Amino acid sequence: MNDKLIETFLDEAHELLDGLEEHLLDLERNPSDVEAMNAAFRALHSIKGSASMFGFDAVGAFAHEVEAALDHFRGASLPATPELSDAVLRSRDHIRTLLDSPGAASAEERDDLIATLSALAGKAVAPAEPKKAPEAKRTMDASNRDDFSTYRIAFKPSADAYRRGVKPESLIRELRDLGEASVRCDCRDVPPLSSIDPESCYLRWTALLTTTAPESALRDVFIFEEGGSELSIERIDHDDVMDGDEVRKLGEILAAKRLPASAIDEALSRQRPIGEILVKDLGTPRAAVEDALFEQEHARNIVKAAKDDTERKTIRIRSEKLDGLLNLVGELVTVQAQLSQTVRDSADRHLHGISDYVKRLAGELRATAMELRLVPVESLFSKFKRLARDLSKNLGKELEIRFEGGETEIDKSVIDVLNDPLVHLVRNAADHGLEATGDRAAAKKPSCGTITMKAQHAGAFVRISVADDGRGLNREKILKKAIDRGIVPPDAKLADEEIDQLIFKPGFSTADVISNVSGRGVGLDVVKTAIDQLGGTLAVKSRYGLGTEFCLDIPLTLAIIDGFLVRSGRRMFVIPLSSVDSCFERERPPEPERLIVRGKDFIPYVSSRDLFGEDEEPPLREEVVIVSVFESKLAIGFDQVLGGYQTVIKPIGEIARYAAGVSGAAILADGGIALILDVAALARAHKGS
Amino acid sequence: MLDITIKTPEDATVANVKDLRDELVSALKGTGRGARVVLDLSDTRQADSSFAQLIAAFKLEATSEGIEVSVVGMGDATSSMAMLACDKFQEDCALGSRKNPTKAGGEA
């Protein structure tokens, strides 16, 4: 089979597994959540169907067993027990292993899961044999109409169906799974309360089903209920209710039902709803009109489903292709800057016009390419529900995870790199941050600890925070540990913030017990390194007894930014434009300053010459740029502000770790290099001044 | 007129539909023509078609005795899709809309 098709299948299967995990976690929280149960079932059903289609028979067969157990609960409208959710979650993990590394999937685990699920469903299930899974639901449209048939199914269960343990609605649900269905329930035979036998069934159902399944599959649904029940299955001609993609008018449908044309014409001429006239004035049986209306509505549903299906269509592209596109756009942006500079001195107005047009197109192309890579942080957050659930179980702590700002979008490459650092932080919060349930009660806190993950934008940065309402940092303990390990001298006098920073030192841990969750002395330094490499910053705020919050300020993109080009001596720098608050010119102060006053604000000040050294005499005047990132502001003095500049960020790798205040480099239009300032780090470093 | 509210149980399935019928019969006996009975389904977490047909029977009986019935508190578990796997009702049945004997009977 085509490798690309397999890749697409695997991508989709992983998405379905992620969705399945989320629905199961919802079910754990609310075992009666019918929507979550149905959604979990649909995800499993889709995995089963497509796995078999793509030759992943082991996955298809195993998913079939899991689906059967889940359907047992769903069909009987039973709430999902914690044991069921747990077993299906483990099964989900097993399917993932079967997909990613089939060799690592254990047959014992598979059999154990099947046995557990069978026991939960209260029925024996034979060991898994690869089976052909039924075809997934398809939608009918004009191009594939010949593959579909529409049936009218009338079903009246036997009166003793309930006593025999039959759930007629489960059979109808099974029927619905075969295609696009419209179902009407008729309770006209139900007697009044005083004469009803509540354990007898008085209901009947009529269904219109458009499906690729053969009539025999429809009959199979009712195979155990055919004895005392009434069942009729009749095929309907599509042309009776549809004309191409258009749903026929009621009169046309009735005409196809051999109703006298004269009666229909008469009704049409009276300017009232045709159905009403036919029934009230012309003696047409109400049932005939209702049946026609039902068929018309079903046809509308089919057309709508096909339309929705078309509208949902998207193209799946490998992220590497987007990376390639972005690289090309980056090169184009650089060439466009060179073109603009070359044309600047030309007197040719026509050339100026072309250059401006290229600049505008390059800007639009860049914006579109960037947008293609933006992904809501929600896709990252959703994975943490499972982690929190597993941590709660492993640590024996009640714990709830909350999310805010999931709609915040960030470059996919950044999202990919953020996963591991955030896992560290959440593990850390659950293990070290949150107290044991008993300790929380003693501290008069709710027994359930809370971890909150939040995302918010600030210019070219996104802040992602992980906060817990646990015990907070024990600074006394941190300092003692740091002194014991020789990280700080015994007589060190450190401010609270400096003590907090010690937890990011390699190998630092205050955990008394090494657990399998965290506390091995690795973690926070790894997190810090990863965030540094992203050009971001990691900060911690903590209040003893109340909780701890870790804040990650990450650049929105690692590729292209709108910058502000400035000069210091012969060196050029780019400041991310979104961080620039304001700028002004002034005489260069004779003495070094630490603060400047702007209105009522005192803003820390630093000269670029102090930051990056001097390579020529300073001019008499300087231009001061005020940058702000989240709550921090900093004024930086430069020799000259050259204005806006769109630039491609070129990573400078390990050098960035040793070049404080620099996050990358950019190639200028004349081929020179400009360093991109890490304003967040600079602002933080000078905050205290 | 006397208004009463009946809260249906968490499990409203065939397993205890008999008890529920007895409760509804008693409730109707305690009211009279012109009364209003509210059937509150908000506590019900599991329901099936036997419960749906019991509601239909209850509405029929109440209507014939001149008692007004309102069904409130319907949730996921008591939707027509959950109880009966259907999208709609036959119009002139007790659960349908046209001849629905209730004022605010909803889709049940």
Side-chain angles (χ1 to χ4, degrees):
Chain A
M1 187 168 289
N2 186 327
D3 284 350
K4 282 193 175 171
L5 285 177
I6 299 268
E7 262 180 29
T8 305
F9 157 71
L10 287 172
D11 284 348
E12 285 178 356
H14 282 119
E15 272 177 26
L16 286 166
L17 286 174
D18 288 347
L20 174 63
E21 184 177 80
E22 197 154 325
H23 303 316
L24 291 169
L25 293 172
D26 287 344
L27 267 182
E28 265 196 340
R29 276 191 296 278
N30 180 7
S32 300
D33 187 338
V34 178
E35 274 311 304
M37 175 69 92
N38 288 339
F41 181 81
R42 282 196 297 272
L44 266 170
H45 192 73
S46 302
I47 292 167
K48 178 181 83 168
S50 45
S52 303
M53 198 186 305
F54 284 91
F56 287 75
D57 290 342
V59 174
F62 181 69
H64 177 75
E65 302 297 351
V66 188
E67 182 197 24
L70 203 58
D71 195 37
H72 180 78
F73 281 76
R74 187 180 79 122
S77 299
L78 294 172
T81 59
E83 294 77 21
L84 178 75
S85 299
D86 190 64
V88 182
L89 270 172
R90 282 171 50 217
S91 302
R92 175 252 176 221
D93 296 344
H94 185 71
I95 293 174
R96 187 159 191 139
T97 311
L98 282 171
L99 288 170
D100 294 347
S101 40
S106 133
E108 289 76 27
E109 165 138 32
R110 179 200 63 194
D111 293 344
D112 176 50
L113 281 167
I114 291 175
T116 305
L117 288 164
S118 307
L120 288 169
K123 59 173 186 161
V125 174
E129 287 297 327
K131 294 173 193 168
K132 185 81 182 161
E135 194 182 345
K137 261 191 193 182
R138 288 166 62 200
T139 310
M140 184 177 85
D141 56 34
S143 65
N144 61 9
R145 180 157 301 156
D146 291 346
D147 300 343
F148 286 81
S149 300
T150 296
Y151 297 92
R152 169 187 287 276
I153 303 109
F155 172 54
K156 181 172 182 355
S158 59
D160 65 347
Y162 293 140
R163 288 198 183 84
R164 290 186 293 110
V166 174
K167 293 256 181 191
E169 62 272 24
S170 299
L171 302 179
I172 300 297
R173 259 185 219 112
E174 212 172 310
L175 191 69
R176 298 187 81 111
D177 283 340
L178 293 175
E180 198 65 43
S182 302
V183 179
R184 185 175 65 188
C185 180
D186 183 351
C187 60
R188 283 177 298 183
D189 293 344
V190 176
L193 192 67
S194 51
S195 48
I196 192 174
D197 169 5
E199 290 180 346
S200 285
C201 183
Y202 302 91
L203 302 168
R204 60 176 74 224
W205 281 262
T206 305
L208 292 171
L209 174 72
T210 300
T211 179
T212 53
E215 188 178 322
S216 59
L218 277 63
R219 293 202 176 276
D220 283 351
V221 169
F222 302 96
I223 197 161
F224 298 114
E225 185 49 22
E226 269 187 324
S229 65
E230 295 170 23
L231 174 70
S232 78
I233 298 177
E234 170 200 354
R235 193 172 163 166
I236 296 174
D237 192 343
H238 286 143
D239 293 340
D240 287 354
V241 286
M242 294 183 75
D243 179 10
D245 275 343
E246 297 293 319
V247 178
R248 285 193 187 278
K249 293 191 166 58
L250 181 62
E252 294 172 320
I253 298 173
L254 285 164
K257 288 181 174 298
R258 311 281 183 270
L259 230 71
S262 56
I264 293 170
D265 289 344
E266 170 71 21
L268 285 169
S269 67
R270 292 193 191 179
Q271 301 292 307
R272 277 164 51 206
I274 178 175
E276 185 188 317
I277 298 163
L278 283 166
V279 174
K280 287 190 177 168
D281 302 357
L282 301 171
T284 305
R286 170 181 287 278
V289 175
E290 280 189 358
D291 284 351
L293 281 168
F294 191 35
E295 284 175 22
Q296 188 187 40
E297 190 179 327
H298 178 68
R300 282 201 186 108
N301 289 342
I302 294 288
V303 170
K304 184 175 180 299
K307 191 165 170 257
D308 289 350
D309 196 42
T310 308
E311 283 169 356
R312 270 199 303 270
K313 273 178 189 156
T314 48
I315 302 172
R316 188 177 286 272
I317 301 174
R318 305 289 306 170
S319 56
E320 293 82 8
K321 288 194 174 178
L322 283 180
D323 291 341
L325 174 68
L326 207 63
N327 279 337
L328 288 173
V329 172
E331 296 304 321
L332 182 66
V333 167
T334 305
V335 172
Q336 175 269 314
Q338 288 169 348
L339 175 67
S340 293
Q341 180 147 324
T342 310
V343 167
R344 193 174 299 155
D345 304 326
S346 163
D348 187 336
R349 292 173 65 88
H350 183 58
L351 200 57
H352 276 278
I354 292 173
S355 170
D356 288 346
Y357 190 50
V358 170
K359 186 177 178 182
R360 186 160 63 81
L361 287 180
E364 283 173 15
L365 184 61
R366 169 204 159 234
T368 307
M370 293 299 299
E371 208 172 297
L372 289 174
R373 295 180 53 91
L374 291 181
V375 189
V377 177
E378 195 172 23
S379 62
L380 176 68
F381 281 178
S382 59
K383 295 176 184 167
F384 287 86
K385 288 183 193 168
R386 173 71 184 274
L387 178 66
R389 177 239 187 222
D390 291 348
L391 285 169
S392 173
K393 283 198 158 191
N394 291 345
L395 296 167
K397 292 179 180 177
E398 277 184 63
L399 127 71
E400 184 191 359
I401 191 154
R402 293 180 185 162
F403 306 102
E404 291 176 30
E407 70 287 352
T408 309
E409 289 188 321
I410 192 168
D411 193 293
K412 190 178 182 308
S413 59
V414 179
I415 291 242
D416 293 344
V417 185
L418 275 179
N419 186 64
D420 288 350
L422 287 174
V423 167
H424 275 295
L425 290 178
V426 172
R427 280 174 180 271
N428 202 67
D431 198 10
H432 300 319
L434 297 178
E435 309 91 333
T437 308
D439 295 345
R440 288 182 68 85
K444 295 189 177 149
K445 289 182 174 183
S447 58
C448 181
T450 304
I451 297 176
T452 306
M453 298 182 79
K454 194 164 28 173
Q456 64 183 109
H457 274 143
F461 285 81
V462 67
R463 170 169 288 182
I464 296 182
S465 59
V466 178
D468 67 68
D469 65 348
R471 55 172 70 91
L473 294 179
N474 184 337
R475 297 194 173 99
E476 207 177 308
K477 199 170 174 182
I478 292 170
L479 186 58
K480 184 173 180 307
K481 207 87 171 185
I483 292 169
D484 289 348
R485 295 196 173 187
I487 296 173
V488 291
D491 56 347
K493 294 271 182 281
L494 300 181
D496 284 354
E497 281 127 24
E498 290 171 312
I499 297 173
D500 293 349
Q501 290 301 314
L502 293 172
I503 62 174
F504 299 122
K505 296 284 179 194
F508 189 90
S509 174
T510 57
D512 298 321
V513 180
I514 290 176
S515 70
N516 63 354
V517 173
S518 56
R520 293 189 184 87
V522 290
L524 290 176
D525 65 310
V526 175
V527 175
K528 189 163 187 337
T529 307
I531 302 304
D532 285 348
Q533 283 172 351
L534 273 176
T537 59
L538 173 65
V540 60
K541 294 180 214 166
S542 182
R543 289 178 67 189
Y544 189 60
L546 294 177
T548 306
E549 181 180 29
F550 288 91
C551 293
L552 288 69
D553 292 345
I554 314 288
L556 262 182
T557 173
L558 304 177
I560 302 175
I561 56 165
D562 275 322
F564 203 54
L565 191 63
V566 292
R567 183 176 65 78
S568 177
R570 287 194 294 271
R571 298 192 179 104
M572 307 292 272
F573 298 92
V574 174
I575 305 172
L577 193 59
S578 57
S579 307
V580 175
D581 199 65
S582 58
C583 54
F584 64 94
E585 190 185 341
R586 65 171 187 174
E587 270 186 33
R588 187 175 294 276
E591 297 297 326
E593 290 179 331
R594 301 287 297 275
L595 286 170
I596 60 166
V597 183
R598 295 293 289 169
K600 292 178 182 170
D601 294 336
F602 288 86
I603 301 171
Y605 166 86
V606 64
S607 164
S608 56
R609 288 170 172 269
D610 294 337
L611 281 173
F612 304 109
E614 300 194 59
D615 54 8
E616 63 180 20
E617 279 300 302
L620 294 175
R621 298 185 70 77
E622 72 168 356
E623 298 203 57
V624 179
V625 180
I626 297 175
V627 295
S628 70
V629 178
F630 292 101
E631 58 271 16
S632 305
K633 276 190 176 185
L634 177 67
I636 312 174
F638 293 96
D639 293 353
Q640 190 185 8
V641 168
L642 297 158
Y645 191 82
Q646 200 175 74
T647 185
V648 182
I649 302 176
K650 299 285 179 191
I652 52 175
E654 283 295 295
I655 302 169
R657 293 188 67 180
Y658 306 103
V662 174
S663 61
I667 299 170
L668 298 174
D670 61 3
I673 301 282
L675 293 176
I676 298 168
L677 296 189
D678 180 353
V679 288
L682 289 171
R684 202 179 54 254
H686 291 83
K687 197 177 175 183
S689 64
Chain B
M1 275 302 148
L2 185 63
D3 281 6
I4 61 166
T5 297
I6 305 167
K7 282 188 93 85
T8 54
E10 194 172 316
D11 179 5
T13 59
V14 72
N16 49 21
V17 74
K18 229 172 176 173
D19 294 343
L20 189 54
R21 174 195 172 268
D22 295 344
E23 198 183 325
L24 293 175
V25 168
S26 306
L28 281 187
K29 276 185 185 160
T31 60
R33 184 165 290 277
R36 183 169 178 263
V37 177
V38 178
L39 201 56
D40 183 353
L41 312 188
S42 55
D43 285 348
T44 297
R45 296 285 169 265
Q46 290 178 66
D48 60 13
S49 55
S50 70
F51 178 58
Q53 71 173 16
L54 193 67
I55 295 176
F58 179 67
K59 284 181 174 181
L60 279 175
E61 184 92 15
T63 310
S64 70
E65 291 180 13
I67 297 166
E68 188 186 309
V69 177
S70 295
V71 182
V72 300
M74 295 177 69
D76 287 345
T78 48
S79 67
S80 55
M81 185 58 87
M83 293 195 291
L84 294 155
C86 74
D87 311 290
K88 60 187 296 185
F89 297 102
Q90 183 71 36
E91 286 203 337
D92 46 357
C93 85
L95 296 173
S97 55
R98 183 183 293 183
K99 288 196 176 171
N100 191 337
T102 71
K103 250 186 174 175
E107 58 178 341

PDB file of all heavy atoms in Angstrom, chain A residues 139-151:
ATOM      1  N   THR A 139     -20.837   9.211   3.452  1.00  0.00           N
ATOM      2  CA  THR A 139     -21.931  10.129   3.178  1.00  0.00           C
ATOM      3  C   THR A 139     -22.296  10.058   1.709  1.00  0.00           C
ATOM      4  O   THR A 139     -21.419  10.052   0.846  1.00  0.00           O
ATOM      5  CB  THR A 139     -21.491  11.573   3.512  1.00  0.00           C
ATOM      6  OG1 THR A 139     -20.921  11.562   4.807  1.00  0.00           O
ATOM      7  CG2 THR A 139     -22.670  12.506   3.484  1.00  0.00           C
ATOM      8  N   MET A 140     -23.608  10.019   1.427  1.00  0.00           N
ATOM      9  CA  MET A 140     -24.038   9.920   0.033  1.00  0.00           C
ATOM     10  C   MET A 140     -24.031  11.292  -0.628  1.00  0.00           C
ATOM     11  O   MET A 140     -24.442  12.274  -0.027  1.00  0.00           O
ATOM     12  CB  MET A 140     -25.454   9.352  -0.019  1.00  0.00           C
ATOM     13  CG  MET A 140     -25.952   9.133  -1.432  1.00  0.00           C
ATOM     14  SD  MET A 140     -27.582   8.392  -1.473  1.00  0.00           S
ATOM     15  CE  MET A 140     -28.595   9.838  -1.315  1.00  0.00           C
ATOM     16  N   ASP A 141     -23.523  11.361  -1.845  1.00  0.00           N
ATOM     17  CA  ASP A 141     -23.676  12.567  -2.645  1.00  0.00           C
ATOM     18  C   ASP A 141     -23.917  12.144  -4.085  1.00  0.00           C
ATOM     19  O   ASP A 141     -24.039  10.946  -4.373  1.00  0.00           O
ATOM     20  CB  ASP A 141     -22.464  13.503  -2.489  1.00  0.00           C
ATOM     21  CG  ASP A 141     -21.161  12.817  -2.833  1.00  0.00           C
ATOM     22  OD1 ASP A 141     -21.192  11.961  -3.745  1.00  0.00           O
ATOM     23  OD2 ASP A 141     -20.130  13.114  -2.217  1.00  0.00           O
ATOM     24  N   ALA A 142     -23.989  13.144  -4.973  1.00  0.00           N
ATOM     25  CA  ALA A 142     -24.356  12.827  -6.349  1.00  0.00           C
ATOM     26  C   ALA A 142     -23.367  11.854  -6.993  1.00  0.00           C
ATOM     27  O   ALA A 142     -23.732  11.028  -7.818  1.00  0.00           O
ATOM     28  CB  ALA A 142     -24.441  14.115  -7.160  1.00  0.00           C
ATOM     29  N   SER A 143     -22.079  11.910  -6.561  1.00  0.00           N
ATOM     30  CA  SER A 143     -21.054  11.103  -7.226  1.00  0.00           C
ATOM     31  C   SER A 143     -21.095   9.629  -6.827  1.00  0.00           C
ATOM     32  O   SER A 143     -20.642   8.776  -7.573  1.00  0.00           O
ATOM     33  CB  SER A 143     -19.673  11.675  -6.889  1.00  0.00           C
ATOM     34  OG  SER A 143     -19.447  11.534  -5.509  1.00  0.00           O
ATOM     35  N   ASN A 144     -21.631   9.321  -5.649  1.00  0.00           N
ATOM     36  CA  ASN A 144     -21.576   7.914  -5.216  1.00  0.00           C
ATOM     37  C   ASN A 144     -22.957   7.351  -4.918  1.00  0.00           C
ATOM     38  O   ASN A 144     -23.093   6.384  -4.197  1.00  0.00           O
ATOM     39  CB  ASN A 144     -20.667   7.784  -3.976  1.00  0.00           C
ATOM     40  CG  ASN A 144     -21.184   8.597  -2.801  1.00  0.00           C
ATOM     41  OD1 ASN A 144     -22.292   9.111  -2.848  1.00  0.00           O
ATOM     42  ND2 ASN A 144     -20.403   8.701  -1.757  1.00  0.00           N
ATOM     43  N   ARG A 145     -23.978   8.013  -5.476  1.00  0.00           N
ATOM     44  CA  ARG A 145     -25.355   7.635  -5.134  1.00  0.00           C
ATOM     45  C   ARG A 145     -25.637   6.164  -5.408  1.00  0.00           C
ATOM     46  O   ARG A 145     -26.372   5.519  -4.665  1.00  0.00           O
ATOM     47  CB  ARG A 145     -26.319   8.525  -5.922  1.00  0.00           C
ATOM     48  CG  ARG A 145     -27.770   8.204  -5.632  1.00  0.00           C
ATOM     49  CD  ARG A 145     -28.664   9.360  -5.944  1.00  0.00           C
ATOM     50  NE  ARG A 145     -28.287  10.513  -5.171  1.00  0.00           N
ATOM     51  CZ  ARG A 145     -28.559  11.751  -5.538  1.00  0.00           C
ATOM     52  NH1 ARG A 145     -29.187  11.975  -6.659  1.00  0.00           N
ATOM     53  NH2 ARG A 145     -28.193  12.755  -4.796  1.00  0.00           N
ATOM     54  N   ASP A 146     -25.009   5.626  -6.459  1.00  0.00           N
ATOM     55  CA  ASP A 146     -25.304   4.240  -6.825  1.00  0.00           C
ATOM     56  C   ASP A 146     -24.860   3.248  -5.762  1.00  0.00           C
ATOM     57  O   ASP A 146     -25.334   2.118  -5.714  1.00  0.00           O
ATOM     58  CB  ASP A 146     -24.629   3.896  -8.166  1.00  0.00           C
ATOM     59  CG  ASP A 146     -25.288   4.651  -9.315  1.00  0.00           C
ATOM     60  OD1 ASP A 146     -26.396   5.192  -9.086  1.00  0.00           O
ATOM     61  OD2 ASP A 146     -24.693   4.718 -10.405  1.00  0.00           O
ATOM     62  N   ASP A 147     -23.908   3.670  -4.904  1.00  0.00           N
ATOM     63  CA  ASP A 147     -23.432   2.746  -3.863  1.00  0.00           C
ATOM     64  C   ASP A 147     -24.427   2.648  -2.703  1.00  0.00           C
ATOM     65  O   ASP A 147     -24.305   1.795  -1.839  1.00  0.00           O
ATOM     66  CB  ASP A 147     -22.093   3.243  -3.263  1.00  0.00           C
ATOM     67  CG  ASP A 147     -21.017   3.353  -4.336  1.00  0.00           C
ATOM     68  OD1 ASP A 147     -21.218   2.754  -5.402  1.00  0.00           O
ATOM     69  OD2 ASP A 147     -20.002   4.023  -4.085  1.00  0.00           O
ATOM     70  N   PHE A 148     -25.365   3.581  -2.661  1.00  0.00           N
ATOM     71  CA  PHE A 148     -26.252   3.668  -1.499  1.00  0.00           C
ATOM     72  C   PHE A 148     -27.659   3.188  -1.808  1.00  0.00           C
ATOM     73  O   PHE A 148     -28.122   3.271  -2.938  1.00  0.00           O
ATOM     74  CB  PHE A 148     -26.340   5.124  -1.015  1.00  0.00           C
ATOM     75  CG  PHE A 148     -25.096   5.589  -0.299  1.00  0.00           C
ATOM     76  CD1 PHE A 148     -23.982   6.005  -1.004  1.00  0.00           C
ATOM     77  CD2 PHE A 148     -25.046   5.596   1.091  1.00  0.00           C
ATOM     78  CE1 PHE A 148     -22.839   6.424  -0.365  1.00  0.00           C
ATOM     79  CE2 PHE A 148     -23.906   6.012   1.745  1.00  0.00           C
ATOM     80  CZ  PHE A 148     -22.799   6.432   1.022  1.00  0.00           C
ATOM     81  N   SER A 149     -28.299   2.703  -0.759  1.00  0.00           N
ATOM     82  CA  SER A 149     -29.726   2.398  -0.851  1.00  0.00           C
ATOM     83  C   SER A 149     -30.400   3.043   0.347  1.00  0.00           C
ATOM     84  O   SER A 149     -29.780   3.200   1.406  1.00  0.00           O
ATOM     85  CB  SER A 149     -29.962   0.887  -0.776  1.00  0.00           C
ATOM     86  OG  SER A 149     -29.301   0.250  -1.834  1.00  0.00           O
ATOM     87  N   THR A 150     -31.667   3.388   0.152  1.00  0.00           N
ATOM     88  CA  THR A 150     -32.425   3.919   1.290  1.00  0.00           C
ATOM     89  C   THR A 150     -33.550   2.934   1.612  1.00  0.00           C
ATOM     90  O   THR A 150     -34.223   2.444   0.707  1.00  0.00           O
ATOM     91  CB  THR A 150     -32.992   5.310   0.965  1.00  0.00           C
ATOM     92  OG1 THR A 150     -31.889   6.196   0.774  1.00  0.00           O
ATOM     93  CG2 THR A 150     -33.853   5.841   2.098  1.00  0.00           C
ATOM     94  N   TYR A 151     -33.679   2.643   2.888  1.00  0.00           N
ATOM     95  CA  TYR A 151     -34.688   1.677   3.326  1.00  0.00           C
ATOM     96  C   TYR A 151     -35.642   2.336   4.310  1.00  0.00           C
ATOM     97  O   TYR A 151     -35.233   3.199   5.099  1.00  0.00           O
ATOM     98  CB  TYR A 151     -34.023   0.486   4.036  1.00  0.00           C
ATOM     99  CG  TYR A 151     -33.096  -0.305   3.151  1.00  0.00           C
ATOM    100  CD1 TYR A 151     -31.732   0.000   3.100  1.00  0.00           C
ATOM    101  CD2 TYR A 151     -33.575  -1.355   2.371  1.00  0.00           C
ATOM    102  CE1 TYR A 151     -30.859  -0.717   2.287  1.00  0.00           C
ATOM    103  CE2 TYR A 151     -32.715  -2.081   1.552  1.00  0.00           C
ATOM    104  CZ  TYR A 151     -31.360  -1.763   1.516  1.00  0.00           C
ATOM    105  OH  TYR A 151     -30.517  -2.469   0.720  1.00  0.00           O
TER     106      TYR A 151
END
